[in-house]
Amino acid sequence: MGVDAVLMRVEQHGTSPKRRKLAPIAVAPDSKDVFVRLVDQVRGRGTHPMLERVDPYRSLILSPAEMPQFLSELARLPASTAQDVEAIRQLKDLARQCAADPATELHLDGS
């Protein structure tokens, strides 16, 4: 039930969605459901609107333009264990890479 973060390179020649190709660059797996648990702690409070869209059963695709807000919300998550801190660090690393490259997307994939 975790949400894995996958940084994807997007290649699209022309305007047809059929010509869109995705290639994974890096992954931050959530095998122990740490990210989902952290998001559940803030869900419904209205303080983390982007993270509240994370769904453990669906995918959420974020663009480089959304990374400043995503990073800001990650920084405000209530990390109480070393495992929490490490999960947030991995997500921040992927978000920074995504923000720096307009040909990428960050996929938050529920499993």
Side-chain angles (χ1 to χ4, degrees):
M1 189 166 103
V3 174
D4 298 333
V6 183
L7 183 63
M8 296 283 207
R9 170 140 337 269
V10 180
E11 291 182 26
Q12 184 161 353
H13 304 286
T15 58
S16 172
K18 291 181 181 178
R19 299 184 70 165
R20 178 179 158 95
K21 294 183 182 177
L22 299 173
I25 299 172
V27 177
D30 188 25
S31 57
K32 296 186 180 183
D33 301 341
V34 175
F35 181 48
V36 170
R37 182 179 45 76
L38 290 169
V39 169
D40 283 345
Q41 290 178 15
V42 298
R43 192 176 305 280
R45 295 183 186 175
T47 58
H48 297 74
M50 183 173 287
L51 291 178
E52 287 189 29
R53 294 174 25 212
V54 171
D55 186 335
Y57 302 103
R58 293 196 172 95
S59 292
L60 174 63
I61 300 172
L62 302 174
S63 71
E66 294 173 295
M67 291 302 106
Q69 180 181 347
F70 184 66
L71 284 163
S72 171
E73 291 184 20
L74 285 175
R76 295 188 322 248
L77 280 175
S80 58
T81 68
Q83 198 173 35
D84 295 350
V85 171
E86 178 60 19
I88 292 170
R89 186 198 61 76
Q90 289 180 4
L91 289 163
K92 285 180 177 179
D93 288 348
L94 292 183
R96 287 186 189 105
Q97 290 177 53
C98 184
D101 187 348
T104 59
E105 295 174 340
L106 186 60
H107 291 225
L108 302 175
D109 296 327
S111 49

